[in-house]
Amino acid sequence: MGVDLSLIWAVIIIFGLMMYVVMDGFDLGIGILFPFVQEESKRDVMMNTAAPIWDGNETWLVLGGAGLFAAFPLAYSVVLPALYLPIIFMLMGLIFRGVAFELRFKATQLKRHIWDKSFIGGSICATFFQGVALGAFISGMPVEDRRFAGGALDWFTPFSLFCGVALIVAYALLGCTWLIMKTDGELQERMRKLGEPLVLLLLLMIGIVSIWTPLTHPDIADRWFTTPNLFLFMPVPVLVLLCTFFLLRSIRSEAHYTPFLLTLGLIFLGYSGLGISLWPNIIPPSVTIWEAAAPPESQGFALVGALLIIPIILVYTAWSYYVFRGKVTADDGYHH
């Protein structure tokens, strides 16, 4: 029995996208939370918690896109045309957010508000259109003769737009719990007060998506609600509720690290629920990873490079987080 290269590549891409959501999610969340903090010194601290590491986080998004191109060219050639506009808007948001990270600290007092707005707008825009793209992906894409057979605005649906709003809430909670972990004093206390309503709002969003998806996709409903799958997958919603309960309790008990770790757990459970709903389709509702795969020779060649570079990325990422560990205060920071 040979090695299933398509399965290996699917795991690599899933891992890369999960790492991106976890790591870039919290710094996009910081931008989303900026309107709730008006004091300039506190905004400086918020940005300084992520400034040394934010650009490395986006490596995982590049890895996921490059892996899709190398290992599943059919999926790449269908998904990108289907999502051209949301992806372009997302990239524009990431550009504005990235420029604001560097130029805000160099701007004069009179012009700093421009980069604050760029940071807020870029973060919200990038997050919203990531969620829209996810919602459109879940809804499925028509394929005929190995080409995308839909229209340029097929992604513009109520479900996709709702997924965009839901991801804004999820990233805001990630940013909020990151700041609880990385700051102290009044800013940390403010994040704790924001944390509880964000947790409850995210639980509501997860509930709505969990009901909306099977109602509009009978195949997903069959996967979740027929035996024995009903019992096999039951731990996922149960763990979501448990995770939410302990997350709320950790915020109220003034824990520092636990809220962020539990938020990561909540995001992972949502991600796993998505995987259960769609697997093994890489172009929902019907094209599997094996049908979209590149020739084994191409997958094997690209895999050699991936297995060399991924450990380097992991080591670099771990080292950068280790170097910039600990609390960030107004007296120190990346740009000082």
Side-chain angles (χ1 to χ4, degrees), residues 250-270:
S250 69
I251 292 172
R252 289 167 185 159
S253 66
E254 300 188 356
H256 291 257
Y257 296 92
T258 313
F260 184 67
L261 295 174
L262 287 170
T263 303
L264 293 184
L266 205 54
I267 298 292
F268 174 77
L269 288 169

Side-chain angles (χ1 to χ4, degrees), residues 25-40:
F26 71 75
D27 62 59
L28 286 167
I30 291 170
I32 295 166
L33 293 171
F34 243 47
F36 296 94
V37 179
Q38 297 299 322
E39 300 93 329
E40 193 171 295

Side-chain angles (χ1 to χ4, degrees), residues 172-215:
L173 181 59
L174 264 176
C176 182
T177 52
W178 168 262
L179 290 170
I180 289 172
M181 182 173 71
K182 295 291 289 184
T183 65
D184 52 21
E186 188 184 340
L187 179 57
Q188 185 192 55
E189 191 57 36
R190 196 175 303 181
M191 290 302 114
R192 289 193 191 281
K193 290 177 182 175
L194 269 175
E196 287 192 40
L198 282 173
V199 171
L200 297 174
L201 188 56
L202 180 59
L203 183 63
L204 177 64
M205 294 288 183
I206 292 172
I208 292 172
V209 171
S210 300
I211 294 168
W212 197 337
T213 306
L215 283 178

Side-chain angles (χ1 to χ4, degrees), residues 70-191:
F72 305 105
L74 174 61
Y76 188 88
S77 68
V78 170
V79 172
L80 258 71
L83 301 175
Y84 270 144
L85 287 174
I87 289 173
I88 288 170
F89 293 144
M90 177 195 77
L91 292 174
M92 288 174 63
L94 290 175
I95 290 167
F96 273 92
R97 189 277 307 257
V99 171
F101 252 117
E102 298 303 326
L103 295 188
R104 180 181 178 276
F105 288 96
K106 297 177 175 66
T108 62
Q109 289 296 114
L110 289 175
K111 294 185 177 179
R112 185 169 286 194
H113 72 95
I114 297 172
W115 299 112
D116 282 349
K117 292 180 176 67
S118 174
F119 188 55
I120 295 166
S123 299
I124 293 173
C125 178
T127 303
F128 177 72
F129 283 104
Q130 281 179 25
V132 167
L134 176 63
F137 182 76
I138 294 169
S139 297
M141 301 163 183
V143 181
E144 291 178 10
D145 298 325
R146 297 177 67 83
R147 295 181 181 178
F148 175 59
L153 293 176
D154 281 9
W155 55 271
F156 194 79
T157 65
F159 179 74
S160 296
L161 298 176
F162 183 82
C163 286
V165 175
L167 197 63
I168 288 174
V169 175
Y171 281 4
L173 181 59
L174 264 176
C176 182
T177 52
W178 168 262
L179 290 170
I180 289 172
M181 182 173 71
K182 295 291 289 184
T183 65
D184 52 21
E186 188 184 340
L187 179 57
Q188 185 192 55
E189 191 57 36
R190 196 175 303 181
M191 290 302 114

Side-chain angles (χ1 to χ4, degrees), residues 236-256:
V236 174
V238 171
L239 285 171
V240 166
L241 292 173
L242 282 173
C243 202
T244 304
F245 170 76
F246 286 112
L247 177 53
L248 285 169
R249 198 167 79 165
S250 69
I251 292 172
R252 289 167 185 159
S253 66
E254 300 188 356
H256 291 257

